[in-house]
Amino acid sequence: MEAQETQQKEELYSLAKKRMTDFIKTNYKDIERINYTDDYEINPMGGIEINGYLNGNKKKEIWGIYDKGNDEVGSFTVDATRKPECEDKICKY
């Protein structure tokens, strides 16, 4: 793999982590810390799948697919409680 390609993937992963962090902190309560694992995967459509956990607890798993084209987290699983105002809809992040 070329260095430029590796750098592009790392930049996409950084962006994905930032947007996932914004998404989680906006929509969920009691989030002190988000840890991401390095096992991300970029799908053929350009989405990037990211994994991690919350507040230092590896049982509080998070998973999401960041869609760069729409600049949003599309599919996601977050083991946390939604904020009341974000229960029925995704709050803007």
Side-chain angles (χ1 to χ4, degrees), residues 28 46 57 71 82:
Y28 293 88
N57 181 347
D71 190 32
R82 297 274 284 255

Side-chain angles (χ1 to χ4, degrees), residues 26-28 82-92:
T26 300
N27 285 278
Y28 293 88
R82 297 274 284 255
K83 291 180 179 175
E85 66 274 20
C86 303
E87 281 178 1
D88 299 327
K89 63 177 176 26
I90 303 278
C91 290
K92 285 273 179 224

Side-chain angles (χ1 to χ4, degrees), residues 49-82:
E49 187 177 320
I50 49 182
N51 300 285
Y53 54 93
L54 301 170
N55 300 334
N57 181 347
K58 291 190 175 179
K59 291 189 171 117
K60 293 276 197 188
E61 294 182 330
I62 58 169
W63 168 89
I65 295 179
Y66 172 68
D67 174 0
K68 186 175 184 222
N70 293 314
D71 190 32
E72 66 182 14
V73 177
S75 303
F76 58 90
T77 305
V78 179
D79 185 5
T81 305
R82 297 274 284 255

Side-chain angles (χ1 to χ4, degrees), residues 11-48:
E11 285 171 7
L12 177 60
Y13 186 47
S14 289
L15 178 61
K17 286 191 290 187
K18 181 189 180 312
R19 295 300 285 146
M20 186 78 175
T21 298
D22 293 344
F23 167 75
I24 292 172
K25 287 188 172 178
T26 300
N27 285 278
Y28 293 88
K29 299 194 292 193
D30 304 319
I31 306 299
E32 291 158 30
R33 194 167 87 225
I34 302 172
N35 298 87
Y36 292 101
T37 57
D38 285 330
D39 59 340
Y40 65 91
E41 198 171 298
I42 299 173
N43 69 34
M45 301 298 288
I48 182 166

